[in-house]
Protein backbone atom coordinates (compact mmCIF):
# COMPACT_ATOMS: atom_id res chain seq x y z
CA UNK A 1 0.00 0.00 0.00
CA UNK A 2 1.54 3.25 -1.13
CA UNK A 3 1.53 6.09 1.35
CA UNK A 4 0.00 9.31 0.06
CA UNK A 5 1.32 12.18 2.11
CA UNK A 6 -1.61 14.43 1.27
CA UNK A 7 -4.23 11.90 2.36
CA UNK A 8 -6.35 12.85 5.37
CA UNK A 9 -8.43 10.57 7.55
CA UNK A 10 -11.22 12.87 8.66
CA UNK A 11 -13.35 12.48 11.79
CA UNK A 12 -15.89 14.71 13.58
CA UNK A 13 -13.44 16.86 15.52
CA UNK A 14 -10.03 15.72 14.31
CA UNK A 15 -8.22 14.48 11.25
CA UNK A 16 -5.17 12.26 10.88
CA UNK A 17 -2.43 12.78 8.32
CA UNK A 18 1.03 11.34 7.80
CA UNK A 19 3.72 13.33 9.60
CA UNK A 20 6.63 15.01 7.83
CA UNK A 21 9.85 16.37 9.30
CA UNK A 22 8.23 19.84 9.38
CA UNK A 23 5.94 18.57 12.14
CA UNK A 24 8.88 18.22 14.55
CA UNK A 25 7.88 21.27 16.58
CA UNK A 26 8.69 22.71 20.02
CA UNK A 27 5.24 21.65 21.22
CA UNK A 28 5.83 18.07 20.10
CA UNK A 29 9.15 18.09 22.04
CA UNK A 30 7.39 19.51 25.09
CA UNK A 31 4.85 16.65 25.11
CA UNK A 32 7.55 13.98 25.20
CA UNK A 33 9.50 15.79 27.89
CA UNK A 34 6.40 16.19 30.11
CA UNK A 35 6.42 13.56 32.91
CA UNK A 36 2.61 13.45 33.00
CA UNK A 37 2.43 12.69 29.27
CA UNK A 38 5.38 10.30 29.04
CA UNK A 39 4.83 8.37 32.27
CA UNK A 40 3.65 5.23 30.45
CA UNK A 41 5.70 5.75 27.28
CA UNK A 42 9.08 4.41 26.22
CA UNK A 43 10.32 7.85 25.13
CA UNK A 44 11.16 10.26 27.94
CA UNK A 45 13.03 12.99 26.15
CA UNK A 46 13.20 14.51 22.71
CA UNK A 47 14.78 17.31 20.73
CA UNK A 48 13.65 18.75 17.39
CA UNK A 49 16.58 16.87 15.83
CA UNK A 50 15.66 13.52 17.38
CA UNK A 51 12.03 13.97 16.33
CA UNK A 52 12.98 14.80 12.73
CA UNK A 53 15.08 11.63 12.61
CA UNK A 54 12.26 9.57 14.15
CA UNK A 55 9.70 10.91 11.65
CA UNK A 56 12.05 10.46 8.67
CA UNK A 57 12.69 6.81 9.55
CA UNK A 58 8.96 6.16 9.72
CA UNK A 59 8.14 8.05 6.51
CA UNK A 60 10.52 5.78 4.64
CA UNK A 61 9.23 2.57 6.21
CA UNK A 62 6.53 0.80 4.22
CA UNK A 63 5.59 -1.20 7.31
CA UNK A 64 4.61 1.89 9.25
CA UNK A 65 1.82 4.49 9.13
CA UNK A 66 2.82 7.26 11.52
CA UNK A 67 0.07 9.89 11.62
CA UNK A 68 -0.39 13.17 13.42
CA UNK A 69 -3.70 13.97 15.13
CA UNK A 70 -4.91 17.47 14.24
CA UNK A 71 -7.77 19.61 15.57
CA UNK A 72 -10.09 20.26 12.60
CA UNK A 73 -11.03 23.73 13.90
CA UNK A 74 -7.54 25.23 13.99
CA UNK A 75 -5.24 22.61 12.38
CA UNK A 76 -3.35 22.31 15.67
CA UNK A 77 -1.12 19.24 16.00
CA UNK A 78 -2.28 17.64 19.28
CA UNK A 79 -0.88 14.12 19.19
CA UNK A 80 0.16 11.10 17.17
CA UNK A 81 -1.09 7.64 16.37
CA UNK A 82 0.57 4.86 14.44
CA UNK A 83 0.33 1.43 12.96
CA UNK A 84 3.81 -0.06 13.39
CA UNK A 85 4.93 -2.61 12.56
CA UNK A 86 2.49 -3.71 9.88
CA UNK A 87 2.79 -7.36 8.83
CA UNK A 88 1.29 -7.29 5.34
CA UNK A 89 1.42 -11.08 4.98
CA UNK A 90 -0.45 -11.74 8.20
CA UNK A 91 -2.62 -8.63 7.63
CA UNK A 92 -1.92 -7.53 11.18
CA UNK A 93 -0.40 -4.48 12.87
CA UNK A 94 0.46 -2.98 16.23
CA UNK A 95 -0.97 0.41 17.23
CA UNK A 96 -0.06 3.09 19.74
CA UNK A 97 -1.38 6.57 20.55
CA UNK A 98 -0.26 9.77 22.23
CA UNK A 99 -2.40 12.84 22.85
CA UNK A 100 0.42 15.19 23.74
CA UNK A 101 -1.60 18.36 24.32
CA UNK A 102 -3.09 17.71 27.77
CA UNK A 103 -5.85 20.29 27.30
CA UNK A 104 -7.41 17.75 24.90
CA UNK A 105 -7.46 14.86 27.41
CA UNK A 106 -10.77 13.44 28.63
CA UNK A 107 -12.81 14.75 25.69
CA UNK A 108 -13.06 11.58 23.65
CA UNK A 109 -10.28 12.55 21.24
CA UNK A 110 -8.17 9.46 22.01
CA UNK A 111 -11.19 7.28 21.32
CA UNK A 112 -12.03 9.11 18.08
CA UNK A 113 -8.44 8.91 16.80
CA UNK A 114 -8.12 5.21 17.64
CA UNK A 115 -11.42 4.44 15.88
CA UNK A 116 -10.27 6.35 12.78
CA UNK A 117 -6.93 4.52 12.71
CA UNK A 118 -8.50 1.09 13.24
CA UNK A 119 -11.14 1.66 10.54
CA UNK A 120 -8.46 2.88 8.14
CA UNK A 121 -6.35 -0.21 8.89
CA UNK A 122 -9.27 -2.56 8.28
CA UNK A 123 -11.03 -0.83 5.39
CA UNK A 124 -8.22 0.87 3.46
CA UNK A 125 -5.10 -1.13 4.31
CA UNK A 126 -6.85 -4.50 4.28
CA UNK A 127 -5.76 -5.56 7.76
CA UNK A 128 -7.68 -8.19 9.71
CA UNK A 129 -6.18 -7.75 13.16
CA UNK A 130 -4.70 -4.91 15.22
CA UNK A 131 -3.02 -5.31 18.59
CA UNK A 132 -1.38 -3.17 21.23
CA UNK A 133 0.38 -3.35 24.55
CA UNK A 134 -0.61 -1.15 27.48
CA UNK A 135 0.71 -0.98 31.04
CA UNK A 136 -1.87 -2.16 33.56
CA UNK A 137 -1.62 1.19 35.39
CA UNK A 138 -2.61 3.22 32.32
CA UNK A 139 -6.34 3.24 33.07
CA UNK A 140 -7.27 6.03 30.64
CA UNK A 141 -5.63 4.22 27.72
CA UNK A 142 -7.26 0.88 28.64
CA UNK A 143 -10.63 2.66 28.76
CA UNK A 144 -10.04 4.14 25.29
CA UNK A 145 -9.15 0.77 23.81
CA UNK A 146 -12.18 -0.92 25.41
CA UNK A 147 -14.47 1.81 24.05
CA UNK A 148 -13.10 1.17 20.55
CA UNK A 149 -13.72 -2.58 20.88
CA UNK A 150 -10.29 -4.01 21.76
CA UNK A 151 -10.41 -7.00 24.08
CA UNK A 152 -7.72 -8.43 26.32
CA UNK A 153 -5.80 -11.19 24.55
CA UNK A 154 -3.34 -12.00 27.33
CA UNK A 155 -1.41 -10.37 30.15
CA UNK A 156 2.38 -10.45 30.36
CA UNK A 157 2.99 -10.34 34.07
CA UNK A 158 5.64 -7.94 35.35
CA UNK A 159 6.83 -7.47 31.76
CA UNK A 160 7.62 -3.77 31.75
CA UNK A 161 9.93 -1.89 34.06
CA UNK A 162 8.67 1.59 34.81
CA UNK A 163 10.37 3.82 37.39
CA UNK A 164 11.97 0.79 39.05
CA UNK A 165 8.74 -1.18 39.36
CA UNK A 166 7.71 -4.02 37.06
CA UNK A 167 4.15 -3.67 35.77
CA UNK A 168 1.90 -6.07 33.93
CA UNK A 169 1.63 -5.50 30.19
CA UNK A 170 -1.89 -6.00 28.88
CA UNK A 171 -1.99 -7.15 25.26
CA UNK A 172 -5.27 -6.21 23.60
CA UNK A 173 -6.59 -7.07 20.12
CA UNK A 174 -9.35 -6.10 17.75
CA UNK A 175 -10.40 -8.13 14.71
CA UNK A 176 -12.09 -7.00 11.53
CA UNK A 177 -15.76 -7.98 11.55
C1 LIG B 1 -4.37 7.60 27.07
C2 LIG B 1 -4.85 8.75 26.19
C3 LIG B 1 -4.61 8.42 24.73
C4 LIG B 1 -6.34 8.98 26.41
O1 LIG B 1 -6.80 9.99 25.52
P1 LIG B 1 -8.13 10.83 25.82
O2 LIG B 1 -8.40 11.65 24.63
O3 LIG B 1 -8.01 11.51 27.12
O4 LIG B 1 -9.18 9.62 25.92
P2 LIG B 1 -10.78 9.69 25.91
O5 LIG B 1 -11.23 11.03 26.39
O6 LIG B 1 -11.24 9.23 24.57
O7 LIG B 1 -11.15 8.54 26.97
C5 LIG B 1 -10.50 8.45 28.23
C6 LIG B 1 -11.35 7.63 29.16
O8 LIG B 1 -10.54 7.23 30.28
C7 LIG B 1 -11.19 7.67 31.47
N1 LIG B 1 -10.12 7.92 32.44
C8 LIG B 1 -9.23 8.93 32.45
N2 LIG B 1 -8.38 8.78 33.49
C9 LIG B 1 -8.75 7.66 34.13
C10 LIG B 1 -8.27 6.98 35.28
N3 LIG B 1 -7.21 7.42 35.97
N4 LIG B 1 -8.91 5.84 35.66
C11 LIG B 1 -9.97 5.37 34.96
N5 LIG B 1 -10.46 5.97 33.86
C12 LIG B 1 -9.86 7.10 33.45
C13 LIG B 1 -11.98 8.87 31.07
O9 LIG B 1 -13.01 9.12 31.99
C14 LIG B 1 -12.52 8.41 29.71
O10 LIG B 1 -13.57 7.49 29.84
P3 LIG B 1 -15.13 7.93 29.62
O11 LIG B 1 -15.26 8.37 28.21
O12 LIG B 1 -15.89 6.68 29.92
O13 LIG B 1 -15.37 9.03 30.59
C15 LIG B 1 -4.11 10.08 26.58
O14 LIG B 1 -4.30 10.33 27.93
C16 LIG B 1 -2.60 10.03 26.31
O15 LIG B 1 -2.18 10.20 25.18
N6 LIG B 1 -1.78 9.78 27.37
C17 LIG B 1 -0.32 9.79 27.24
C18 LIG B 1 0.24 8.73 26.31
C19 LIG B 1 -0.27 7.33 26.59
O16 LIG B 1 -0.31 6.89 27.72
N7 LIG B 1 -0.64 6.62 25.51
C20 LIG B 1 -1.12 5.27 25.57
C21 LIG B 1 0.02 4.31 25.60
S1 LIG B 1 -0.56 2.61 25.60
Amino acid sequence: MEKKLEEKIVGDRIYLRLLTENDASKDYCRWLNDPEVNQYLETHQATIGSLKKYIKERTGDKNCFFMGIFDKENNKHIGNIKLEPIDWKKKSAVTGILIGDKSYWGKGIGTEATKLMVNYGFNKLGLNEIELGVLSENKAAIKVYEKVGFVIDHIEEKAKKHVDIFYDMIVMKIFKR
Side-chain angles (χ1 to χ4, degrees), residues 1-11 14-20 23 59 64-70 72 75 81 83 88 116-117 119-126:
M1 173 85 188
E2 204 189 316
K3 291 195 234 179
K4 292 193 196 93
L5 273 178
E6 65 284 359
E7 190 167 1
K8 274 186 186 177
I9 305 171
V10 183
I14 52 165
Y15 64 87
L16 315 180
R17 68 154 173 82
L18 288 167
L19 287 174
T20 72
D23 296 305
T59 308
C64 173
F65 269 75
F66 183 42
M67 325 275 304
I69 303 169
F70 295 84
K72 258 168 93 171
N75 291 314
I81 187 160
L83 292 173
W88 297 103
L116 289 173
M117 190 81 263
N119 287 338
Y120 186 80
F122 288 159
N123 301 327
K124 293 276 193 232
L125 303 182

Side-chain angles (χ1 to χ4, degrees), residues 37 97 99 105-108 110-111 138-140 143-145 147:
V37 176
I97 185 171
I99 308 287
W105 282 8
K107 295 177 177 169
T111 305
N138 196 349
K139 303 297 180 201
K143 193 75 189 285
V144 164
Y145 301 137
K147 284 194 286 181

Side-chain angles (χ1 to χ4, degrees), residues 13 36-41 80 95-100 102 104-112 114 132-135 137-145 147:
R13 287 172 296 166
E36 220 185 330
V37 176
N38 71 24
Q39 64 173 323
Y40 302 116
L41 301 179
N80 299 327
T95 191
I97 185 171
L98 158 73
I99 308 287
K102 290 186 287 189
Y104 284 85
W105 282 8
K107 295 177 177 169
I109 301 288
T111 305
E112 187 178 340
T114 307
L132 59 89
V134 55
L135 289 187
E137 304 306 292
N138 196 349
K139 303 297 180 201
I142 293 168
K143 193 75 189 285
V144 164
Y145 301 137
K147 284 194 286 181

